[in-house]
Amino acid sequence: MEILNFIVDEGLVMIPALFLLGEIVKRTRVFADNWIPLIILVVSFGLTPMLLGGFTASNVVQAILVAGMPTYGYESVKQLIKPIEQ
């Protein structure tokens, strides 16, 4: 089951924006890497419902799903390129 099937089309624009935000925070080294998912989630909670038309329960769920995609995607790619330890 693909998580993208659950995200409304209007919310998809937030995924690359949040990914870029995460990269910017990571490269500035102001916050430790373990804070990046929380920062992405907070920004998504603030911006995604506004983009989708208001703070409803459905739009808050969309914000959570949208925030999960950059973090999940980054970790998936990192695990795929990590050498297999034996």
Side-chain angles (χ1 to χ4, degrees):
M1 188 178 327
E2 292 228 4
I3 192 170
L4 288 175
N5 293 336
F6 296 104
I7 299 175
V8 296
D9 291 339
E10 295 84 8
L12 292 175
V13 70
M14 288 299 296
I15 294 171
L18 292 171
F19 179 80
L20 288 174
L21 172 67
E23 285 296 314
I24 290 168
V25 171
K26 184 176 182 70
R27 291 173 194 256
T28 59
R29 298 179 189 256
V30 174
F31 298 99
D33 287 352
N34 58 334
W35 286 100
I36 294 173
L38 182 61
I39 292 168
I40 289 173
L41 181 63
V42 169
V43 171
S44 182
F45 270 142
L47 296 180
T48 303
M50 289 190 325
L51 178 69
L52 298 178
F55 286 87
T56 64
S58 175
N59 291 348
V60 170
V61 170
Q62 289 296 312
I64 294 169
L65 293 173
V66 165
M69 287 304 297
T71 304
Y72 173 72
Y74 177 79
E75 289 299 320
S76 295
V77 169
K78 192 167 79 171
Q79 292 299 319
L80 286 173
I81 61 175
K82 181 174 122 177
I84 299 173
E85 297 176 13
Q86 295 181 356

